[in-house]
Amino acid sequence: MRILAIETSCDETAVALLEINGALERPNIKILGNTLLSQVALHEKYGGVYPNLAKREHEKNLPPLLEKTLKEAGYDMSEAELRTNDIDYIAVTQGPGLEPALWTGITFAEMLGKKWDKPVVPVNHMEGHIFSVLYDMSETERLILPALALLVSGGHTELVIVKDFGNYKIIGRTRDDAVGEAFDKVARMLGLPYPGGPEISKLAEIAREKQSEQAAAFRFPRPMINSDNLDFSFSGLKTAVLYKLKLENLPAGRQDRSDEEFKEDVSRAFEDAAIGVLIEKTRRALLELGGEIKTLIVAGGVSANLHLSQELSKLASEFPNINLRLPTKYLTTDNAIMIGIAAFVRAGKGPKILKNQTPIRAQGNLSISSAP
Ligand code: KG4
Ligand code: ZN
């Protein structure tokens, strides 16, 4: 099956053309064309994503990205109209995300759907993150369900039971900031560029290598780590970092430390606290769910974090019957490939996808538990 996928939920404009066949548990995924334009540099001065700017950029980027994707796939543009006959579905992110940005992708997808007479499949962005782990599986691997998914991105921190393809239950979520957002905000406090996750991670690794003794003096709280539920909270941790920075900025403060070392130690202490909570809540979920869970999926931008993946490997060794799956590095952050994969799952499991359905509505807060 050939799927053209479009992703515009946040600050990445992405288009991919995929050929996907085989079983849902281990599909054969061939990337025929894949393009992505990041707006990170544009949003950097705002310290986050500015929705109307994102919308304008998506509108500008989509037509050339489509053309480039089709060209990469070997579609001769002069006969592109004919070749599009072998595209089965157009997949587009419906939500969650920034609504003005989502609308851009949806409008574009529906316009193509009409022009090419193809069905348009609305995709839940978080379902895309989950099924990003289906890419690049070896011959012998299978995604065995039920799985527990820890979704960690700039907008979400969720623990989701993937009972079956298309059947999801959220059992834990953040009550305030998402973990990626906390990384980004702490990075901003430290004067590091946006997005802050990779920057914090780099400095934290340097601090770990140096085994700085001073780092021990930095210990941030691990909010809700002992709470009697599977929810998260990261805003208190962010505030604790802010207080620490204010305190250390007093003249008598950090005479014996270089600015760089100070940032490294704060990054490490913050990362230890944030990842510590993610690991502890995931452990608790796995224990509570008993033997039901066969696979632990960890996906979303923060799953690129080295310290998280190391701690996850340790956690997985406590549960020998559970298989740990993370996406290939370049599928951790937003991309169109994962949207195409989720559409393949939807086509294989959900109700029949028809042409000319009711128009798709962007839903900024679309929940994964409402996926069809
Ligand atoms: O999934 P994603 O690309 O976009 C959303 O759907 O939100 O996630 C982006 C988030 C950002 O907050 C970014 O700082 C974080 O993922 N991130 C990381 C790392 N790489 C990206 N956080 C920690 N460590 C990383 N290596
Ligand atoms: Zn995402």
Side-chain angles (χ1 to χ4, degrees), residues 7 9-10 12 96 125-126 128-129 152-156 299-301 332-335 338-339:
E7 155 65 35
S9 70
C10 193
E12 252 96 40
H125 181 83
M126 302 316 286
H129 276 302
V152 279
S153 70
H156 288 79
T332 53
T333 47
D334 292 348
N335 62 85
M338 70 182 197
I339 302 304

Side-chain angles (χ1 to χ4, degrees), residues 47-164:
V49 183
Y50 191 64
N52 283 328
L53 181 61
K55 171 183 164 9
R56 197 190 69 196
E57 288 301 302
H58 288 312
E59 275 167 357
K60 192 174 83 191
N61 294 339
L62 279 170
L65 287 191
L66 172 70
E67 188 173 337
K68 205 164 151 223
T69 306
L70 292 178
K71 258 200 189 132
E72 244 180 63
Y75 283 50
D76 177 346
M77 284 318 281
S78 60
E79 51 172 3
E81 297 289 306
L82 293 174
R83 295 288 312 274
T84 50
N85 273 337
D86 47 46
I87 292 177
D88 297 282
Y89 297 111
I90 298 167
V92 65
T93 307
Q94 178 181 23
L98 303 168
E99 282 194 6
L102 291 163
W103 275 119
T104 321
I106 293 171
T107 310
F108 190 71
E110 290 196 320
M111 182 271 291
L112 289 178
K114 279 214 178 74
K115 191 163 130 193
W116 296 344
D117 195 27
K118 301 289 168 194
V120 182
V121 189
V123 170
N124 183 303
H125 181 83
M126 302 316 286
E127 208 176 354
H129 276 302
I130 290 179
F131 294 121
S132 63
V133 304
L134 286 174
Y135 184 67
D136 216 12
M137 281 180 145
S138 75
E139 276 293 313
T140 54
E141 287 176 301
R142 295 275 175 286
L143 177 65
I144 306 170
L145 301 179
L148 175 70
L150 171 67
L151 301 178
V152 279
S153 70
H156 288 79
T157 310
E158 280 175 351
L159 278 165
V160 180
I161 305 177
V162 183
K163 292 186 187 172
D164 193 2

Side-chain angles (χ1 to χ4, degrees), residues 193 213 243 286 292 356:
E213 278 176 28
Y243 282 148
L286 290 174
E292 186 191 334
N356 309 317

